[in-house]
Amino acid sequence: MSGEARTHGSPQRGGGDDRRDAQGRERGAARARGAGQRSESAPSQRAKVTDPARNVAFDVLQEVASSDAYANLVLPPLLRARGIRGRDAAFATELAYGTLRLRGRYDAIISRCVDRPLDQVDPNVLDLLRLGAHQLLGMRVAQHAAVSETVGLARARAGAGSAQFVNAVLRKISRSTLEEWLEVISADAPDDVTRLAITQSHPVWIARAMREALIGTGRSADDLAELLEADNTAPRVTLVARPGLVGRERLAGEVTHDVRGDATTEPGRWAPTALVLSGSDPAAIPAVRHGAAGVQDEGSQLVTLAFAAVPTLPAAPSTPTAGDRSDRAANPDERWLDLCAGPGGKAALLASLAGEQGARIVANEVAPHRARLVEQALAAVPADAVERVQVGDGRRVGVEEPGAYDRVLVDAPCTGLGALRRRPESRWRRTPGDIATLTTLQRELLGSALDAVRPGGVVGYVTCSPHLAETQLVVKDVLAGRDDVEVLDAAAAVRQVAGDDIPLADRTDVQLWPHVHGTDAMHLTLLRRRA
């Protein structure tokens, strides 16, 4: 029997007047006994009895919205500060990240359950509705718990009136399954791309750009549904075992012996440095704490390793001097530059490789606070492998140090559309207008890198975006104005690292994909200054 049936169909006990207040309204049994008087507690006190995992997920959404923070930087310290671990931490993580990823889908559903445009709903209340919708439609949470716990959170964080509104909307949402809602919200879509954008929670302009990128890199437009779905799948944590500092097997052993709980590891699919971690906080692993290992997407590792594997060529025909029987005098490969080094993941991997090969790295970063992160990332690398970390504008390096480097990596600032599964809030922050600004910067950085590398040296152009304007078109525009650069076979370099089984298009550049490779959608072009 439902609660309504009990309220309206049961006889009153002890006389009808005992259950009515001074205004003649019927009171529940708890209130009749004087219990359950929520108004006696201030909202800040009531918040303490709400579920900690849901509270922290709500706080993440608030921080992301109010300060343009990234959830992956906000959530871990919140969990640690509040002592949330284990299943509760996993629940909070999925609730926060899942709500951010699927915000567009849930907004389309919520808009059909409220009597006003969403921009007229209080932002805090809208975040509460999104959290509730994700529990109802995207997680294995019992319906009554999803509604009641979210209503309790709303009462504590937004007030009693808002809690009533949240209760009414969530009950409407709960009356249909996810499949039924997806049919409803996509019914009026004018085309397949728009339908996929709505149901898979991507802005339409991003879905269209992804489709163009698939076609432009040799894949089928039919991949779009699978790609967008992959963007909504939580990525696994991948560690990098930095060469010369820790081996992959030893790193796996540290996880097994030094980390409590049910932590497990398995080798990465493509990069020999990659180790996939499950069931543990990376910060609990000694090698990660000390900098011998780090957290780095396998695609990011792979393009870095491929860049470092391509041989340089002599600057010009020459004969080694008497007594110098090595190739190094004729073909130096000892001074490397990471032009856009922050926050330091690729720089640390490059520096560890440089240390093994007798080279040294200069790490350049334009933002001082990010340069400090680079210094921290390089802390475990032998000192003789790091020439310096410098704060400077990468666009000026080619003018200030022409031909000074044997290798230059350009990990260019970009829209980050290749890492939407990892940074789900990015899809809601980026606009088409960002492309023009970023591609101008990317062209200038690539041009500077080509000036900074010596003839015979190698430049790697990397973006964490598959957008054609940020990848192929940037390279095409820069090379159109130069006759001293040749395009190298990046696909061959990646296969040298990953093996011949890695599925790559028949192209000289490389585009990785979440739904194909299980990595972020990293792009790699390799170039060489002609000797």
Side-chain angles (χ1 to χ4, degrees), residues 98-401:
T99 300
L100 288 168
R101 287 188 188 98
L102 297 172
R103 193 185 90 176
R105 174 190 293 176
Y106 295 142
D107 282 2
I109 293 171
I110 292 167
S111 69
R112 286 161 172 80
C113 298
V114 298
D115 58 358
R116 70 199 77 166
L118 291 191
D119 60 6
Q120 295 180 19
V121 177
D122 180 88
N124 293 342
V125 174
L126 186 54
D127 276 342
L128 289 161
L129 290 173
R130 291 163 175 160
L131 289 170
H134 187 54
Q135 293 171 70
L136 287 168
L137 303 176
M139 299 177 70
R140 295 178 180 178
V141 178
Q143 190 176 104
H144 70 276
V147 175
S148 63
E149 290 287 349
T150 307
V151 170
L153 182 62
R155 184 180 294 111
R157 305 296 296 270
S162 294
Q164 292 176 355
F165 177 70
V166 168
N167 181 61
V169 175
L170 292 184
R171 290 192 181 280
K172 289 181 182 178
I173 293 174
S174 70
R175 290 170 190 156
S176 300
T177 65
L178 174 61
E179 290 71 24
E180 290 169 338
W181 275 119
L182 293 179
E183 289 185 12
V184 170
I185 64 176
S186 62
D188 298 329
D191 53 63
D192 285 344
V193 175
T194 303
R195 176 183 59 79
L196 285 170
I198 294 170
T199 56
Q200 294 297 334
S201 193
H202 284 67
V204 175
W205 77 269
I206 290 180
R208 295 195 187 284
M210 293 294 192
R211 183 180 184 276
E212 292 172 0
L214 286 165
I215 296 170
T217 56
R219 299 203 63 85
S220 169
D222 295 338
D223 277 18
L224 182 60
E226 194 176 353
L227 169 59
L228 299 186
E229 185 175 359
D231 277 349
N232 293 330
T233 302
R236 298 189 297 175
V237 175
T238 304
L239 304 178
V240 55
R242 292 166 179 156
L245 304 182
V246 66
R248 187 162 65 176
E249 292 74 17
R250 178 182 164 190
L251 180 58
E254 282 196 10
V255 174
T256 302
H257 295 103
D258 297 336
V259 178
R260 297 178 181 177
D262 57 352
T264 62
T265 62
E266 61 181 277
R269 189 177 175 189
W270 311 116
T273 52
L275 190 70
V276 179
L277 175 68
S278 300
S280 176
D281 178 1
I285 302 169
V288 174
R289 291 200 306 271
H290 301 147
V295 177
Q296 186 176 5
D297 175 74
E298 187 170 12
S300 174
Q301 297 181 45
L302 183 56
V303 297
T304 305
L305 294 169
F307 160 73
V310 176
T312 60
L313 296 180
S318 61
T319 302
T321 58
D324 184 357
R325 298 184 180 179
S326 71
D327 292 333
R328 179 157 292 181
N331 183 24
D333 187 13
E334 55 192 16
R335 195 162 188 252
W336 301 359
L337 171 66
D338 187 347
L339 191 65
C340 312
K346 293 183 183 67
L349 179 53
L350 272 182
S352 66
L353 294 168
E356 286 195 317
Q357 298 179 31
R360 63 192 188 278
I361 187 172
V362 173
N364 179 82
E365 171 54 44
V366 68
H369 73 281
R370 286 170 64 87
R372 289 191 290 272
L373 294 176
V374 176
E375 291 175 343
Q376 294 171 16
L378 294 174
V381 178
D384 58 0
V386 180
E387 182 174 324
R388 65 178 182 272
V389 176
Q390 65 185 28
V391 176
D393 186 340
R395 295 171 294 184
R396 297 289 306 163
V397 174
V399 173
E400 296 168 353
E401 296 185 87

Side-chain angles (χ1 to χ4, degrees), residues 45-128:
Q45 295 172 316
R46 293 200 299 269
K48 296 176 183 178
V49 299
T50 58
D51 176 63
R54 290 177 171 86
N55 251 306
V56 79
F58 179 70
D59 287 336
V60 169
L61 265 61
Q62 296 285 284
E63 188 70 19
V64 166
S66 64
S67 63
D68 281 346
Y70 286 106
N72 66 328
L73 300 180
V74 172
L75 180 60
L78 277 179
L79 293 175
R80 287 194 291 269
R82 300 182 189 183
I84 300 175
R85 302 180 181 87
R87 287 187 174 183
D88 286 342
F91 182 90
T93 300
E94 169 53 30
L95 182 54
Y97 282 28
T99 300
L100 288 168
R101 287 188 188 98
L102 297 172
R103 193 185 90 176
R105 174 190 293 176
Y106 295 142
D107 282 2
I109 293 171
I110 292 167
S111 69
R112 286 161 172 80
C113 298
V114 298
D115 58 358
R116 70 199 77 166
L118 291 191
D119 60 6
Q120 295 180 19
V121 177
D122 180 88
N124 293 342
V125 174
L126 186 54
D127 276 342
L128 289 161

Side-chain angles (χ1 to χ4, degrees), residues 12-21 27-28 31-33:
Q12 296 177 1
R13 300 178 183 178
D17 293 338
D18 292 345
R19 293 281 297 276
R20 296 187 180 275
D21 60 18
R27 296 176 293 178
R31 289 185 181 274
R33 295 193 305 270

